[in-house]
Amino acid sequence: MNSTAPAIAFNQLKKSYGPVSVLRGMTGQINSGEVVAIIGSSGCGKSTLLRCFNRLETINGGQLTVNGIDLSQPKLARQTLRELRQQVGMVFQQFNLFPHLSVLENLTLSPQKVLGQSKGQSRENARLYLDKVGLIEKAESYPEELSGGQKQRVAIARSLCMNPKILLFDEPTSALDPELVGEVLQVMQQLATEGMTMVVVTHEMQFAREVATRVLFLNQGQIEEQGPAKEVMMNPQSDRLKAFLSRINGAGLVAKH
């Protein structure tokens, strides 16, 4: 991959489900080392756009390139898809940990099976990343013994074990109790300072403002407004973004976000 090329580039991106058009010709890019927050009301296309970036969704039109891999074609070779999934990690709302495996086993499964790492190497890396997210003491625990925040931090460590070039986060704190949100955002903030390329669908406006490099505000399948995070969040230009931020900030007084 050309080091000057965007990590993710999309042009006139379209995605429909039957007659329902979700992404309506989006154009943009994510540069290497950026932390881009995608915000907007429910149903605006945030998660769909994110899922297109690692081929969990297939686009219906336009061009999409992720880490030099062309995802515009309706069919991809199995090896190409495997390469993509190795380079692009994803952290979901729900943690998707295997309940019958210990934390360490959850972290070492894919590196051994997909990357071909030895058991020793995969365990060494897993312990390294568990330490990074502050959970080294939970290596032999099982998911049911962890809090929601701890499970999400394990899920982040699991993604890091695959040595991804890009990390995608789909509302990673939305399933957490308010007091557990901070510990996950702290890990993400640390990754941001280390230069990890991250795309984050989030309702955490403080995270978007303080940690993100840029913000994309989506509305009805289009990018309504984008720009440097603090500038967009503190001085929104579009009426729709002003209304959205007003609703979010007002809801924050009574809701958990």
Side-chain angles (χ1 to χ4, degrees):
M1 179 182 170
N2 184 342
S3 60
T4 61
I8 301 172
F10 49 101
N11 185 44
Q12 291 299 310
L13 200 65
K14 296 178 182 177
K15 174 64 182 178
S16 299
Y17 299 99
V20 180
S21 180
V22 180
L23 305 182
R24 304 177 181 180
M26 279 191 196
T27 297
Q29 66 181 49
I30 313 292
N31 297 315
S32 294
E34 274 197 308
V35 179
V36 175
I38 302 177
I39 64 173
S41 302
S42 296
C44 69
K46 304 185 301 294
S47 292
T48 300
L49 178 63
L50 197 74
R51 290 166 68 88
C52 288
F53 292 162
N54 73 342
R55 194 65 176 207
L56 287 177
E57 298 287 356
T58 305
I59 66 173
N60 301 127
Q63 287 80 46
L64 173 61
T65 304
V66 177
N67 215 42
I69 301 172
D70 185 1
L71 301 185
S72 307
Q73 305 305 316
K75 290 189 177 181
L76 285 183
R78 182 176 297 180
Q79 180 56 37
T80 302
L81 189 60
R82 185 184 180 97
E83 182 183 346
L84 174 74
R85 297 279 164 76
Q86 288 178 18
Q87 297 179 18
V88 183
M90 188 155 184
V91 178
F92 298 88
Q93 296 178 36
Q94 303 299 331
F95 325 113
N96 297 335
L97 300 175
F98 292 110
H100 63 291
L101 299 180
S102 70
V103 166
L104 197 64
E105 289 168 337
N106 266 282
L107 267 60
T108 57
L109 185 64
S110 288
Q112 289 178 30
K113 289 187 175 294
V114 178
L115 301 183
Q117 290 182 1
S118 67
K119 183 176 180 179
Q121 180 65 53
S122 65
R123 288 173 69 89
E124 183 179 337
N125 285 346
R127 290 184 178 280
L128 176 72
Y129 289 119
L130 279 176
D131 190 42
K132 179 184 282 287
V133 302
L135 288 174
I136 187 65
E137 77 283 358
K138 299 293 185 180
E140 302 303 330
S141 299
Y142 284 81
E144 65 178 14
E145 301 173 290
L146 306 178
S147 70
Q150 290 171 334
K151 289 176 185 175
Q152 194 60 292
R153 284 189 282 157
V154 169
I156 293 172
R158 179 180 56 186
S159 288
L160 291 173
C161 282
M162 295 296 288
N163 300 315
K165 302 283 197 309
I166 302 167
L167 269 182
L168 310 176
F169 294 84
D170 190 3
E171 299 193 21
T173 59
S174 66
L176 302 180
D177 291 332
E179 65 270 18
L180 302 177
V181 169
E183 64 189 60
V184 174
L185 295 182
Q186 187 175 12
V187 170
M188 294 171 66
Q189 186 164 12
Q190 179 186 348
L191 292 173
T193 62
E194 294 171 359
M196 173 62 76
T197 304
M198 300 196 294
V199 186
V200 186
V201 170
T202 184
H203 282 109
E204 296 291 342
M205 295 300 108
Q206 184 175 351
F207 175 84
R209 185 174 61 247
E210 301 296 334
V211 180
T213 317
R214 281 193 299 129
V215 166
L216 305 183
F217 170 61
L218 271 52
N219 181 61
Q220 297 181 344
Q222 297 276 8
I223 298 176
E224 173 92 11
E225 188 169 339
Q226 63 176 307
K230 285 188 171 65
E231 184 179 311
V232 169
M233 302 294 287
M234 303 301 289
N235 188 29
Q237 298 301 301
S238 80
D239 289 340
R240 288 191 182 95
L241 179 53
K242 290 175 184 176
F244 171 76
L245 292 174
S246 177
R247 282 199 310 275
I248 287 286
N249 291 334
L253 299 176
V254 294
K256 73 177 187 178
H257 293 313

